[in-house]
Amino acid sequence: MRLRNVKYAKELIHSYPDYVVLKPKNHKGKWRDLFENKKPIQVEIGCGKGKFIYESGLYNPEKNFIGIEKFDSVIVRALEKLILEPLDNVKLIRFDATHINDIFKENEVEHLYLNFSDPWPKLRHSKRRLTSPQFLEKYHHILKDGAIIDMKTDNYALFEYSLMMFNQSDYFAIIDVSLDLYKDLPATNIQTEFEMKFVEENNAIYYIKAQHKG
Ligand code: SAM
């Protein structure tokens, strides 16, 4: 990424604090106040360029959506979507979800989406996988009882690993699995940027739905 682009991203992010929440820790336990409503909070970790979180907000006005992405240079693309066509039920956070417990309180999140997360294939990086036991423990603290985690991936190794981690966890029960989501695609499915590319290439999309046991 060229320096000029990084500067552009940073400047744009700081110009739209209504869309990109600059101090997310200040809103821990108070996200609904920020949205100025009582609608349930849905979170996507690793929202990338924001197609999924934007369209989720567009088609589900009865819910609030928060997209978390760790890179300015990527989240700026999600911000551009909101600038072009504003939505008052979508907010973005430029943040590393490793510290997600610093920004959400117990029972604050009702639905978590993990879409095409980085697979981190090396064993020494396994803690960074968004379905590692370390992350599942963090999610346990912020999700309501009965909350759902929806995970889609094109990576079989990450899918298999995630099945094992959910299965071994005391906090989650797997309630649905697909080895080919597009064989029986739910009408409510919203494609992500990565998903569009993988579907075009005829890659299978693996899917896990897990429920928080509380
Ligand atoms: N979900 C999008 C999609 O399906 O098009 C993007 C997928 S991309 C492979 C994964 C994204 O997750 C990247 O943009 C990466 O920066 C982000 N990411 C990975 N780990 C993260 C973390 N710990 N916190 C926030 N974002 C993260």
Side-chain angles (χ1 to χ4, degrees):
M1 164 108 334
R2 282 174 302 165
L3 273 178
R4 188 161 53 84
N5 295 345
V6 173
K7 192 166 170 248
Y8 159 80
K10 276 198 188 311
E11 279 176 6
L12 203 66
I13 286 168
H14 282 84
S15 307
Y16 287 91
D18 282 351
Y19 300 152
V20 187
V21 181
L22 297 174
K23 294 189 173 162
K25 291 182 188 175
N26 292 354
H27 300 283
K28 180 173 176 169
K30 297 180 282 196
W31 285 98
R32 284 192 187 84
D33 296 349
L34 190 68
F35 282 103
E36 298 179 354
N37 62 47
K38 300 263 179 246
K39 298 173 188 177
I41 305 280
Q42 332 276 303
V43 173
E44 183 188 12
I45 301 180
C47 69
K49 296 178 183 172
K51 180 179 182 293
F52 178 86
I53 203 77
Y54 183 86
E55 291 181 20
S56 295
L58 184 66
Y59 299 131
N60 300 281
E62 73 289 359
K63 297 175 183 172
N64 294 320
F65 291 88
I66 300 176
I68 304 177
E69 168 55 51
K70 68 178 170 184
F71 291 118
D72 285 338
S73 57
V74 182
I75 205 168
V76 73
R77 302 293 164 217
L79 170 59
E80 285 167 344
K81 293 180 174 67
L82 281 173
I83 295 172
L84 220 56
E85 304 246 5
L87 289 175
D88 58 14
N89 63 335
V90 177
K91 306 255 182 231
L92 304 171
I93 305 177
R94 215 277 300 134
F95 192 73
D96 183 339
T98 308
H99 310 290
I100 196 161
N101 295 141
D102 293 346
I103 57 173
F104 295 109
K105 222 178 135 181
E106 292 79 28
N107 298 317
E108 204 169 11
V109 179
E110 146 159 330
H111 206 133
L112 183 63
Y113 295 94
L114 306 174
N115 293 321
F116 302 88
S117 310
D118 297 323
W120 295 108
K122 291 188 181 143
L123 190 61
R124 70 174 189 275
H125 293 146
S126 61
K127 279 187 195 170
R128 297 183 196 174
R129 296 175 196 150
L130 293 182
T131 46
S132 68
Q134 291 79 5
F135 270 102
L136 296 190
E137 173 87 33
K138 293 172 210 266
Y139 305 153
H140 163 59
H141 290 295
I142 61 168
L143 289 173
K144 290 174 76 164
D145 294 358
I148 297 293
I149 300 182
D150 267 312
M151 178 194 168
K152 294 190 273 189
T153 182
D154 68 308
N155 186 294
Y156 187 76
L158 181 66
F159 169 69
E160 205 175 31
Y161 169 85
S162 304
L163 278 178
M164 281 193 304
M165 295 306 112
F166 280 123
N167 230 346
Q168 286 168 17
S169 154
D170 291 335
Y171 310 127
F172 295 95
I174 295 172
I175 56 172
D176 197 7
V177 170
S178 175
L179 284 157
D180 189 353
L181 183 65
Y182 276 70
K183 257 196 179 151
D184 193 13
L185 191 66
T188 51
N189 186 61
I190 292 176
Q191 276 191 335
T192 76
E193 269 97 355
F194 272 63
E195 185 171 348
M196 274 174 65
K197 185 168 82 79
F198 294 135
V199 169
E200 264 169 35
E201 291 167 0
N202 284 322
N203 289 9
I205 305 297
Y206 308 107
Y207 170 71
I208 302 173
K209 186 191 276 286
Q211 186 163 35
H212 185 221
K213 293 194 233 169

